[in-house]
Amino acid sequence: MELVVLENGREVSRYAARIVAQQLLINPKTVLGLATGSTPEGMYSKLVRIFNEDLITFEEATSFNLDEYVGLPKDHPQSYFRFMKENLLDHVNFKEGANHMPNGLAENLEEECVNYEKMITSHGGIDLQVLGIGRNAHIGFNEPGTEFVAETHVVDLTESTLDANARFFTSIEEVPKKAISMGIKTIMQARKILLLVIGGSKADALVKTLEGTITIDYPSSVLKLHPQLTVVADKAAAAKLKKIK
Ligand code: GLP
C-alpha cells in the first residue's frame, strides 16, 4: 500500500488525475473503474484539462461505474449517469458505448446486476478502480455488513448514507433508498485501486480503513488486503492517522 498525504483537496485531485493519465498512457485500452461523489470531481476536471492539452486520449479506453441509484431517471440532476456526463464523459473522447453504468431503472434488477458483472469480466476486468469513501467507510454503495464475497448487487442504503446524500436533494425523502453497486469482490478484483480521501469528515473512516481490523463493519478496511492500493488523502482527512503523526 502506498499512502500519499497532500496539503489539500486540490492537490489530491491533481495527483489522482496524473495517476489516471499515466495509466492511459501506459495502456490506452485501459478499463477504468469510475466513482462519483464530491471527492473525485476535482480529479475529473483536471483530467479534462489534461485531455484538452492533447496529452491523453480516451479513444480506446472503457469505463465501468461503481454504482447508481435505483429508480432515478437518467437525466435526473442527481443520477450518477448525469454526474458522469457532466463531469467527464461529455468532455473527453470515449467511443460511443464505451461507458458502462448499472441501470437503476432495469425491470429486473437482479438480472441487471448479473449482466453488469459479466460485462466487466468480458472486458477483461478493471485495470484501475478509482474510489471515494463514505463517512461510515462504505465503498461504492457497499454499506457496513456487506459480505466481502459480494458481486454487483442491489443495496438498501443506510440512514448514514441517506443523510449524507440528502444535501444533494431538496429533502431526505427524495433520496433513493436503494442502489445498485459493484460488490466488494468486484472492487477487489481490480488490478489497481486508487482511493481518494478529502476532508476532515472522512478522518475517522480513513483510520478504520488503514489502521483498524479488517471487518465487514467497515467495508473499506478490506482494501488493506489489496496488493496494488494507492491512497491519496489531504491533511485534514489524514489528521487522525497514528502513522503520520
Ligand atoms: C456515495 C458514493 C460513493 C462515494 C461516497 C462519498 O455514497 N456511492 O462512491 O465514495 O458517496 O461521497 P463524497 O465524495 O461526496 O463524500
Side-chain angles (χ1 to χ4, degrees):
M1 192 264 295
E2 187 191 4
L3 170 65
V4 180
V5 179
L6 300 169
E7 197 57 37
N8 52 40
R10 246 176 91 99
E11 287 189 20
V12 170
S13 300
R14 192 170 55 175
Y15 194 95
R18 286 183 182 171
I19 292 181
V20 177
Q22 181 192 54
Q23 175 68 33
L24 287 164
L25 284 173
I26 292 170
N27 176 11
K29 293 192 165 87
T30 286
V31 179
L32 291 170
L34 298 178
T36 51
S38 39
T39 305
E41 259 173 9
M43 178 195 78
Y44 290 135
S45 99
K46 297 265 186 293
L47 268 178
V48 171
R49 198 176 308 163
I50 299 173
F51 169 76
N52 285 333
E53 286 165 4
D54 280 339
L55 300 174
I56 52 170
T57 173
F58 293 79
E59 212 177 349
E60 294 179 89
T62 308
S63 73
F64 284 89
N65 261 77
L66 270 174
D67 46 14
E68 177 60 286
Y69 288 117
V70 166
L72 280 194
K74 279 189 168 184
D75 60 353
H76 188 285
Q78 296 308 329
S79 80
Y80 286 170
F81 175 81
R82 180 130 165 212
F83 174 100
M84 287 311 301
K85 276 177 73 70
E86 287 175 357
N87 283 279
L88 181 70
L89 307 182
D90 280 353
H91 311 291
V92 298
N93 65 340
F94 279 105
K95 281 207 185 99
E96 208 172 321
N99 306 113
H100 306 272
M101 309 227 14
N103 177 9
L105 292 173
E107 234 164 74
N108 185 336
L109 293 172
E110 301 303 329
E111 197 178 86
E112 171 66 16
C113 294
V114 173
N115 289 341
Y116 198 66
E117 199 70 35
K118 277 191 192 152
M119 184 86 88
I120 294 173
T121 310
S122 75
H123 280 80
I126 291 166
D127 292 305
L128 175 65
Q129 176 66 57
V130 178
L131 282 183
I133 189 176
R135 292 184 310 204
N136 62 0
H138 73 236
I139 44 177
F141 267 134
N142 291 283
E143 297 283 22
T146 312
E147 297 290 339
F148 291 160
V149 292
E151 296 190 334
T152 301
H153 61 296
V154 180
V155 179
D156 289 315
L157 301 177
T158 61
E159 283 303 316
S160 148
T161 301
L162 294 176
D163 190 48
N165 292 355
R167 67 186 195 276
F168 300 117
F169 293 82
T170 30
S171 73
I172 193 161
E173 287 74 39
E174 257 193 56
V175 188
K177 308 284 182 291
K178 284 181 189 288
I180 295 182
S181 178
M182 279 186 196
I184 306 262
K185 180 175 166 192
T186 328
I187 293 170
M188 288 296 281
Q189 282 175 335
R191 284 181 267 282
K192 290 182 215 160
I193 295 183
L194 173 60
L195 173 65
L196 309 181
V197 197
I198 298 175
S201 68
K202 304 291 174 66
D204 288 321
L206 190 55
V207 171
K208 303 285 187 218
T209 309
L210 299 183
E211 293 179 351
T213 47
I214 298 169
T215 162
I216 60 172
D217 295 335
Y218 300 110
S220 57
S221 64
V222 74
L223 297 175
K224 280 199 280 285
L225 297 177
H226 197 281
Q228 295 276 0
L229 169 69
T230 303
V231 182
V232 189
D234 70 351
K235 273 189 170 166
K240 294 187 179 173
L241 290 176
K242 283 193 209 91
K243 283 179 196 150
I244 63 151
K245 271 189 184 160

